[in-house]
Amino acid sequence: MQNSAHMSEVVPKRRALLVGIKYEKDIIGDNAVNERYGPSPTLKGPHKDVDDMSKLLTDLYGYEEEQIVVMKDDGVSPNLQPTRTNMIRELSALVHDARPGDRFFFHYAGHTMQQLNESGSEEDGMDECLMPCDDSPTASKIITDNDLHRYLVSPLPVGSHLVAVFDSCHSATLLDLEHIRCNRVYVPWISKGRRKSDTIYDYIVRRNAMVVKRAIYQADRVSHHEVRSRKTSLERMYNTPRSTKHLSILEKSEITSDRADWIGSADTINIPRCDSPAPMFSCTGFCSRPTGSDPNVAEVISLSACEDGQFCWEDDDGSSMTKVLIEILNQDPHPKLNHLMTFISHRLHKAAVRMHFMAREHTRLVRKWEVKHNKSLYRRRTIETHMRNDFQDPQLGSRSPLDMNSLWKV
């Protein structure tokens, strides 16, 4: 009885870890992250973002200062510089000894990159990675999405709660959470809704129950006497090497079978039979809505500034998604999730339209200067053209489908 009474008196923990990295050259050195991002990798807003987020947590959500750890590459506290070693230590400490009822908050403002995924665990074939301040091309110190899931998500017991905010590029699946499409909201400029819809950057990879051995060429008749082959992909193929790309028929002697589901007969060509390709990943955008929290997993939510294939931008004064989020939460600390995502999407879209307008005007002035001075600023024009063509769509990830009418809680 005494042990039970003692357990009932345990107060749930609340902890927050805020990381802001500007990648200033005098802190990280000329040969660090700036080599990955070109001559101007320095960001203006991350330090202010984490300071403002810390103030929001204390003023609005009742966090104590000792419950919040702030990491900035300002050179003030070596132990809290956002190097890879220090970040992993603090990530582990954030959820250390987590119990049901505990609440955790993680905020990251800085650079994010993508690298090729070789295990087949990513739908777009890429791993998303945080860029600590000591990362460099010659000595990679990145923290992958797999690392983040292992340090932040896996240790959480059922009944605990984690909210992660990523104000960075390529950030939608930084926690490798199972659901994202089904949490999308409708916005007027692109109807995302509850369906499987992604940007042109997102390569949708489907898998069935076979193993790719070789490409197959499928005949496509373009006239009575001519055929043109189209290269298709199957997950199990015949083993015979093929020397030509133009085929009018597949000889049955060239196809071998070692599975019962390869159906053929004496008068027909052996044809591989399988079900229609099914998504390798569970969230198709039509996941059933929950009636409450999933009793089998901890409640984890990630709010990201953009999709995996997109970039995010900051204004001339360093303002980005973090500023928008803080302004919205100051007006309503506990908005419905669908309202929160709608407000953020509209504000970021409005900012992007303004940025694109300014980029077009800048390009017009650059071209006028080029004509006058008979010189070409090709690189600057390329950057501005890229900025004009890119928008960012904030994403909400979770371990189980979210009730979008539920309230935002930190």
Side-chain angles (χ1 to χ4, degrees):
M1 292 298 293
Q2 291 180 352
N3 290 338
S4 299
H6 176 72
M7 290 299 295
S8 63
E9 295 174 359
V10 174
V11 178
K13 293 189 295 290
R14 291 209 297 179
R15 294 177 186 152
L17 173 61
L18 315 178
V19 181
I21 313 179
K22 292 177 65 174
Y23 307 94
E24 295 178 300
K25 290 185 179 181
D26 57 338
I27 301 296
I28 63 176
D30 290 338
N31 297 321
V33 177
N34 29 319
E35 288 191 9
R36 288 191 189 272
Y37 287 90
S40 301
T42 303
L43 300 173
K44 296 181 179 180
H47 288 186
K48 185 177 186 303
D49 287 342
V50 296
D51 290 339
D52 291 344
M53 185 63 73
S54 178
K55 186 175 186 302
L56 180 80
L57 293 177
T58 54
D59 294 351
L60 214 58
Y61 296 104
Y63 275 71
E64 302 293 338
E65 290 187 3
E66 58 269 18
Q67 296 174 328
I68 303 174
V69 176
V70 178
M71 306 184 73
K72 296 187 293 186
D73 56 336
D74 52 8
V76 174
S77 175
N79 195 46
L80 289 179
Q81 292 300 295
T83 62
R84 186 181 194 276
T85 300
N86 290 346
M87 285 182 63
I88 289 179
R89 183 194 68 235
E90 295 301 329
L91 287 169
S92 300
L94 178 65
V95 297
H96 177 66
D97 289 339
R99 294 190 298 264
D102 293 346
R103 306 187 71 86
F104 306 101
F105 183 83
F106 175 64
H107 176 220
Y108 175 81
H111 282 312
T112 306
M113 64 169 286
Q114 289 182 301
Q115 68 176 11
L116 186 64
N117 173 268
E118 299 180 354
S119 65
S121 60
E122 296 288 342
E123 187 169 355
D124 60 355
M126 304 294 289
D127 280 322
E128 286 68 46
C129 314
L130 301 188
M131 309 285 292
C133 66
D134 60 340
D135 178 58
S136 70
T138 56
S140 179
K141 301 292 183 66
I142 57 176
I143 300 176
T144 67
D145 46 14
N146 295 330
D147 294 330
L148 285 174
H149 189 92
R150 181 167 68 253
Y151 292 122
L152 282 181
V153 180
S154 297
L156 294 176
V158 175
S160 58
H161 183 92
L162 168 69
V163 172
V165 176
F166 296 103
D167 194 356
S168 60
C169 306
H170 316 300
S171 53
T173 61
L174 269 169
L175 280 187
D176 274 347
L177 302 180
E178 292 85 345
H179 294 272
I180 188 168
R181 292 187 178 93
C182 60
N183 299 328
R184 288 173 174 168
V185 297
Y186 172 82
V187 288
W189 52 89
I190 175 173
S191 177
K192 292 184 284 190
R194 294 181 63 215
R195 60 188 174 89
K196 192 165 186 175
S197 174
D198 288 307
T199 66
I200 59 174
Y201 301 103
D202 187 13
Y203 298 99
I204 300 175
V205 179
R206 294 173 178 264
R207 298 286 189 270
N208 53 25
M210 301 179 185
V211 178
V212 175
K213 290 185 178 180
R214 182 176 185 83
I216 184 173
Y217 295 96
Q218 176 184 0
D220 179 23
R221 185 168 294 279
V222 295
S223 69
H224 184 68
H225 300 289
E226 183 181 2
V227 295
R228 180 179 58 204
S229 66
R230 291 182 301 175
K231 191 173 183 178
T232 64
S233 64
L234 292 175
E235 302 291 354
R236 179 178 291 273
M237 280 304 309
Y238 55 84
N239 297 319
T240 303
R242 189 161 299 280
S243 58
T244 177
K245 294 184 178 181
H246 298 278
L247 305 170
S248 59
I249 191 172
L250 296 177
E251 298 291 344
K252 64 180 180 180
S253 61
E254 294 178 324
I255 302 178
T256 62
S257 171
D258 56 356
R259 281 176 51 141
D261 56 356
W262 283 48
I263 304 172
S265 65
D267 7 328
T268 61
I269 298 175
N270 290 325
I271 301 175
R273 306 288 186 181
C274 65
D275 293 334
S276 297
M280 178 182 177
F281 300 88
S282 58
C283 182
T284 62
F286 295 94
C287 307
S288 59
R289 297 286 114 184
T291 57
S293 300
D294 190 334
N296 301 313
V297 295
E299 187 175 0
V300 181
I301 295 176
S302 68
L303 172 57
S304 306
C306 61
E307 297 186 7
D308 284 343
Q310 293 178 331
F311 298 92
C312 68
W313 307 90
E314 60 178 17
D315 293 342
D316 291 339
D317 60 353
S319 299
S320 57
M321 187 196 73
T322 298
K323 180 180 179 181
V324 172
L325 175 63
I326 292 175
E327 289 177 351
I328 294 173
L329 294 179
N330 273 319
Q331 296 177 2
D332 181 3
H334 302 289
K336 292 183 178 180
L337 293 179
N338 55 1
H339 292 170
L340 177 63
M341 295 306 297
T342 300
F343 294 154
I344 294 176
S345 298
H346 278 262
R347 293 282 297 274
L348 290 182
H349 185 267
K350 182 179 180 180
V353 170
R354 176 179 174 272
M355 180 189 69
H356 295 170
F357 174 80
M358 295 176 63
R360 286 195 298 269
E361 180 65 15
H362 182 271
T363 300
R364 185 185 69 81
L365 295 176
V366 167
R367 289 175 177 171
K368 183 178 179 180
W369 183 91
E370 289 175 335
V371 171
K372 180 178 179 180
H373 297 274
N374 194 26
K375 294 182 179 180
S376 176
L377 300 178
Y378 174 77
R379 185 177 182 278
R380 172 58 61 184
R381 288 167 55 186
T382 302
I383 293 175
E384 300 299 339
T385 301
H386 177 69
M387 291 174 62
R388 290 202 308 268
N389 294 334
D390 193 64
F391 285 81
Q392 60 184 91
D393 300 312
Q395 303 291 309
L396 193 64
S398 58
R399 299 193 74 180
S400 57
L402 293 173
D403 177 3
M404 296 300 288
N405 287 317
S406 62
L407 301 182
W408 167 269
K409 297 179 181 179
V410 175

